[in-house]
Amino acid sequence: EDQVTQSPEALRLQEGESSSLNCSYTVSGLRGLFWYRQDPGKGPEFLFTLYSAGEEKEKERLKATLTKKESFLHITAPKPEDSATYLCAVHHAGNNRKLIWGLGTSLAVNP
Amino acid sequence: EAQVTQNPRYLITVTGKKLTVTCSQNMNHEYMSWYRQDPGLGLRQIYYSMNVEVTDKGDVPEGYKVSRKEKRNFPLILESPSPNQTSLYFCASSLDRGPYEQYFGPGTRLTVT
Protein backbone atom coordinates (compact mmCIF):
# COMPACT_ATOMS: atom_id res chain seq x y z
CA GLU A 1 0.00 0.00 0.00
CA ASP A 2 1.28 3.45 -0.90
CA GLN A 3 1.83 5.49 2.20
CA VAL A 4 3.79 8.33 3.77
CA THR A 5 4.77 8.30 7.44
CA GLN A 6 6.23 11.24 9.33
CA SER A 7 8.08 11.07 12.62
CA PRO A 8 8.10 12.18 15.29
CA GLU A 9 4.52 13.41 15.59
CA ALA A 10 5.68 16.25 17.81
CA LEU A 11 9.07 17.69 18.67
CA ARG A 12 10.04 20.31 21.19
CA LEU A 13 13.46 21.97 20.88
CA GLN A 14 15.34 24.70 22.64
CA GLU A 15 16.39 27.62 20.50
CA GLY A 16 19.66 26.70 18.80
CA GLU A 17 19.19 22.95 19.29
CA SER A 18 19.49 21.33 15.84
CA SER A 19 17.44 18.28 14.91
CA SER A 20 15.85 16.38 12.02
CA LEU A 21 12.34 15.44 10.98
CA ASN A 22 11.72 12.23 9.07
CA CYS A 23 9.39 11.38 6.20
CA SER A 24 9.43 7.75 5.10
CA TYR A 25 7.50 6.56 2.07
CA THR A 26 6.50 3.36 0.34
CA VAL A 27 5.32 4.14 -3.18
CA SER A 28 5.96 2.81 -6.62
CA GLY A 29 7.87 5.17 -8.85
CA LEU A 30 8.61 8.32 -6.91
CA ARG A 31 8.12 11.41 -9.06
CA GLY A 32 8.70 13.99 -6.38
CA LEU A 33 8.69 14.58 -2.63
CA PHE A 34 7.44 17.87 -1.24
CA TRP A 35 7.92 19.62 2.08
CA TYR A 36 5.44 22.22 3.32
CA ARG A 37 5.25 24.34 6.43
CA GLN A 38 1.89 25.05 8.07
CA ASP A 39 1.24 27.63 10.77
CA PRO A 40 -1.83 27.13 12.99
CA GLY A 41 -5.07 27.98 11.19
CA LYS A 42 -3.29 28.82 7.93
CA GLY A 43 -2.74 27.11 4.62
CA PRO A 44 0.41 25.08 4.00
CA GLU A 45 3.33 26.96 2.50
CA PHE A 46 5.59 25.26 -0.01
CA LEU A 47 9.21 24.75 1.04
CA PHE A 48 11.02 22.22 -1.18
CA THR A 49 10.68 19.67 -3.95
CA LEU A 50 13.10 16.73 -4.19
CA TYR A 51 13.10 14.45 -7.21
CA SER A 52 15.84 11.85 -6.85
CA ALA A 53 17.91 10.08 -4.20
CA GLY A 54 20.91 12.12 -3.16
CA GLU A 55 19.31 15.45 -3.91
CA GLU A 56 19.49 18.21 -1.30
CA LYS A 57 17.79 21.61 -1.03
CA GLU A 58 18.45 24.39 1.46
CA LYS A 59 16.60 27.46 2.64
CA GLU A 60 17.84 29.49 5.58
CA ARG A 61 18.01 27.09 8.56
CA LEU A 62 16.28 24.25 6.71
CA LYS A 63 17.87 21.54 4.61
CA ALA A 64 15.95 18.73 2.95
CA THR A 65 17.56 15.49 1.80
CA LEU A 66 16.22 12.44 -0.02
CA THR A 67 17.09 8.75 -0.12
CA LYS A 68 15.26 5.90 -1.85
CA LYS A 69 13.07 5.31 1.19
CA GLU A 70 12.91 8.53 3.16
CA SER A 71 13.51 12.22 3.37
CA PHE A 72 14.88 14.29 6.21
CA LEU A 73 14.24 17.90 7.02
CA HIS A 74 17.22 19.12 9.00
CA ILE A 75 16.74 22.22 11.11
CA THR A 76 19.97 23.92 12.12
CA ALA A 77 20.02 26.27 15.12
CA PRO A 78 16.24 26.74 15.09
CA LYS A 79 14.53 29.91 16.26
CA PRO A 80 11.07 30.27 17.83
CA GLU A 81 9.70 31.48 14.48
CA ASP A 82 10.48 28.04 13.05
CA SER A 83 7.68 26.64 15.21
CA ALA A 84 5.06 25.13 12.89
CA THR A 85 3.79 21.84 11.54
CA TYR A 86 5.93 20.44 8.74
CA LEU A 87 4.14 18.33 6.16
CA CYS A 88 5.60 15.88 3.70
CA ALA A 89 3.83 14.76 0.52
CA VAL A 90 4.75 12.34 -2.24
CA HIS A 91 3.91 12.34 -5.94
CA HIS A 92 4.23 8.91 -7.51
CA ALA A 93 3.80 7.13 -10.80
CA GLY A 94 0.80 5.15 -9.55
CA ASN A 95 -1.30 8.32 -9.66
CA ASN A 96 0.24 11.36 -11.24
CA ARG A 97 -2.68 13.65 -10.48
CA LYS A 98 -2.58 13.83 -6.70
CA LEU A 99 -0.29 13.53 -3.72
CA ILE A 100 -0.07 11.24 -0.72
CA TRP A 101 0.26 13.38 2.39
CA GLY A 102 1.85 12.56 5.72
CA LEU A 103 0.21 13.66 8.96
CA GLY A 104 2.98 16.09 9.77
CA THR A 105 5.43 16.84 12.56
CA SER A 106 4.48 19.59 14.99
CA LEU A 107 7.63 21.49 15.93
CA ALA A 108 7.85 23.84 18.90
CA VAL A 109 11.03 25.86 19.48
CA ASN A 110 11.34 27.40 22.90
CA PRO A 111 13.30 30.65 23.40
CA GLU B 1 0.20 39.94 -5.26
CA ALA B 2 0.05 36.30 -6.33
CA GLN B 3 -2.47 34.54 -4.18
CA VAL B 4 -5.29 32.08 -3.70
CA THR B 5 -8.37 33.54 -2.04
CA GLN B 6 -11.24 31.73 -0.37
CA ASN B 7 -14.57 32.98 0.87
CA PRO B 8 -15.99 32.85 3.38
CA ARG B 9 -13.21 32.30 5.91
CA TYR B 10 -15.60 31.13 8.59
CA LEU B 11 -19.06 29.65 8.19
CA ILE B 12 -21.57 28.16 10.61
CA THR B 13 -24.57 26.57 8.99
CA VAL B 14 -27.27 23.99 9.62
CA THR B 15 -27.72 20.52 8.24
CA GLY B 16 -29.16 20.48 4.74
CA LYS B 17 -28.70 24.13 3.83
CA LYS B 18 -26.82 24.34 0.54
CA LEU B 19 -23.63 26.35 0.58
CA THR B 20 -20.80 27.34 -1.73
CA VAL B 21 -17.21 28.12 -0.81
CA THR B 22 -15.49 30.17 -3.47
CA CYS B 23 -11.85 29.83 -4.52
CA SER B 24 -10.00 32.11 -6.90
CA GLN B 25 -6.36 32.32 -8.00
CA ASN B 26 -4.66 35.13 -9.90
CA MET B 27 -1.60 33.22 -11.10
CA ASN B 28 -3.03 31.66 -14.28
CA HIS B 29 -2.51 28.22 -12.75
CA GLU B 30 -3.72 25.12 -14.56
CA TYR B 31 -4.23 22.79 -11.59
CA MET B 32 -6.62 23.50 -8.72
CA SER B 33 -7.65 21.33 -5.83
CA TRP B 34 -9.79 21.22 -2.70
CA TYR B 35 -8.67 19.63 0.54
CA ARG B 36 -10.17 19.12 3.93
CA GLN B 37 -8.03 18.89 7.04
CA ASP B 38 -9.15 17.10 10.18
CA PRO B 39 -7.21 16.32 13.38
CA GLY B 40 -5.54 12.93 13.16
CA LEU B 41 -6.49 12.50 9.49
CA GLY B 42 -4.31 15.15 7.89
CA LEU B 43 -4.96 16.69 4.50
CA ARG B 44 -7.36 14.75 2.30
CA GLN B 45 -8.14 15.71 -1.25
CA ILE B 46 -11.79 16.20 -2.17
CA TYR B 47 -11.68 17.12 -5.88
CA TYR B 48 -9.13 18.44 -8.30
CA SER B 49 -9.11 20.03 -11.73
CA MET B 50 -6.37 19.77 -14.35
CA ASN B 51 -7.90 22.44 -16.59
CA VAL B 52 -11.10 24.30 -17.42
CA GLU B 53 -14.06 21.92 -17.60
CA VAL B 54 -11.86 19.02 -16.39
CA THR B 55 -12.50 17.83 -12.84
CA ASP B 56 -11.98 14.54 -11.05
CA LYS B 57 -12.59 12.95 -7.68
CA GLY B 58 -10.00 12.92 -4.96
CA ASP B 59 -9.99 10.67 -1.93
CA VAL B 60 -13.13 11.95 -0.17
CA PRO B 61 -15.56 13.34 -2.80
CA GLU B 62 -18.86 12.16 -1.27
CA GLY B 63 -21.19 15.02 -0.44
CA TYR B 64 -19.29 17.60 -2.47
CA LYS B 65 -19.50 19.06 -5.97
CA VAL B 66 -17.14 21.30 -7.91
CA SER B 67 -17.06 23.11 -11.22
CA ARG B 68 -14.32 24.77 -13.28
CA LYS B 69 -15.94 27.06 -15.79
CA GLU B 70 -13.15 29.61 -15.68
CA LYS B 71 -9.45 29.02 -15.19
CA ARG B 72 -9.21 31.22 -12.10
CA ASN B 73 -12.23 29.94 -10.15
CA PHE B 74 -12.94 26.58 -8.55
CA PRO B 75 -15.95 26.71 -6.21
CA LEU B 76 -16.78 23.92 -3.76
CA ILE B 77 -20.46 23.16 -3.37
CA LEU B 78 -22.10 21.30 -0.50
CA GLU B 79 -25.62 20.52 -1.68
CA SER B 80 -26.85 19.17 1.65
CA PRO B 81 -24.23 19.67 4.35
CA SER B 82 -24.05 17.25 7.26
CA PRO B 83 -22.21 17.51 10.61
CA ASN B 84 -19.46 15.15 9.39
CA GLN B 85 -18.48 17.83 6.88
CA THR B 86 -17.45 20.12 9.70
CA SER B 87 -13.80 20.73 8.89
CA LEU B 88 -11.10 23.14 7.77
CA TYR B 89 -11.11 23.45 3.99
CA PHE B 90 -8.26 24.56 1.76
CA CYS B 91 -8.14 25.42 -1.90
CA ALA B 92 -4.82 25.11 -3.69
CA SER B 93 -3.42 25.73 -7.15
CA SER B 94 -0.27 24.93 -9.09
CA LEU B 95 1.15 26.17 -12.35
CA ASP B 96 1.42 22.88 -14.21
CA ARG B 97 -1.24 20.24 -14.85
CA GLY B 98 -0.37 18.33 -11.76
CA PRO B 99 -0.02 18.60 -7.97
CA TYR B 100 3.45 20.07 -7.98
CA GLU B 101 4.42 23.19 -6.06
CA GLN B 102 1.01 24.14 -4.72
CA TYR B 103 -0.12 27.51 -3.41
CA PHE B 104 -2.75 27.21 -0.71
CA GLY B 105 -5.53 29.57 0.24
CA PRO B 106 -6.03 30.80 3.80
CA GLY B 107 -8.66 28.20 4.62
CA THR B 108 -12.38 28.11 5.36
CA ARG B 109 -13.48 26.83 8.74
CA LEU B 110 -16.91 25.25 8.30
CA THR B 111 -19.19 24.15 11.13
CA VAL B 112 -22.39 22.25 10.32
CA THR B 113 -24.83 21.90 13.22
Side-chain angles (χ1 to χ4, degrees):
Chain A
E1 180 186 356
D2 298 324
Q3 64 179 6
V4 174
T5 303
Q6 292 189 244
S7 61
E9 288 187 17
L11 181 63
R12 185 175 296 275
L13 300 173
Q14 289 298 122
E15 185 172 2
E17 180 187 2
S18 301
S19 188
S20 297
L21 313 183
N22 178 264
C23 171
S24 64
Y25 60 91
T26 53
V27 300
S28 54
L30 179 74
R31 290 196 170 184
L33 185 142
F34 305 85
W35 283 99
Y36 285 81
R37 169 194 169 122
Q38 185 175 24
D39 293 305
K42 295 190 176 182
E45 176 187 351
F46 172 78
L47 292 174
F48 305 109
T49 306
L50 301 167
Y51 291 104
S52 57
E55 189 174 0
E56 299 181 352
K57 294 272 181 74
E58 284 190 70
K59 179 179 180 180
E60 296 181 353
R61 295 176 292 283
L62 300 178
K63 179 180 177 181
T65 62
L66 181 65
T67 73
K68 289 188 177 181
K69 293 184 178 181
E70 59 193 348
S71 176
F72 291 94
L73 185 64
H74 306 278
I75 304 176
T76 302
K79 298 182 177 181
E81 52 262 43
D82 294 322
S83 298
T85 295
Y86 291 86
L87 299 170
C88 168
V90 166
H91 185 218
H92 65 106
N95 187 327
N96 67 348
R97 298 183 177 187
K98 55 182 182 176
L99 306 179
I100 302 175
W101 291 84
L103 295 182
T105 293
S106 176
L107 173 66
V109 182
N110 296 326
Chain B
E1 179 189 357
Q3 61 182 348
V4 177
T5 57
Q6 294 179 228
N7 282 292
R9 295 289 315 280
Y10 302 91
L11 180 60
I12 301 174
T13 190
V14 296
T15 298
K17 185 176 181 181
K18 181 179 179 180
L19 66 92
T20 299
V21 184
T22 64
C23 172
S24 182
Q25 49 92 6
N26 63 359
M27 297 168 281
N28 201 36
H29 282 179
E30 299 282 347
Y31 181 94
M32 296 188 74
S33 181
W34 275 103
Y35 295 89
R36 61 178 290 174
Q37 188 173 39
D38 302 287
L41 297 177
L43 274 171
R44 294 181 292 169
Q45 191 177 48
I46 303 170
Y47 270 94
Y48 62 91
S49 169
M50 304 280 276
N51 204 344
V52 175
E53 301 291 0
V54 179
T55 63
D56 207 347
K57 297 177 181 179
D59 297 313
V60 288
E62 295 78 20
Y64 304 94
K65 287 176 58 177
V66 293
S67 66
R68 186 100 181 267
K69 292 183 170 54
E70 305 167 279
K71 197 171 187 178
R72 62 183 295 131
N73 296 323
F74 191 45
L76 179 69
I77 302 159
L78 285 71
E79 294 269 2
S80 183
S82 62
N84 64 11
Q85 292 178 298
T86 293
S87 186
L88 180 58
Y89 291 86
F90 291 104
C91 180
S93 71
S94 66
L95 180 61
D96 296 316
R97 293 184 181 184
Y100 309 119
E101 176 184 334
Q102 292 185 72
Y103 291 77
F104 282 78
T108 295
R109 186 167 293 281
L110 172 66
T111 301
V112 184
T113 61

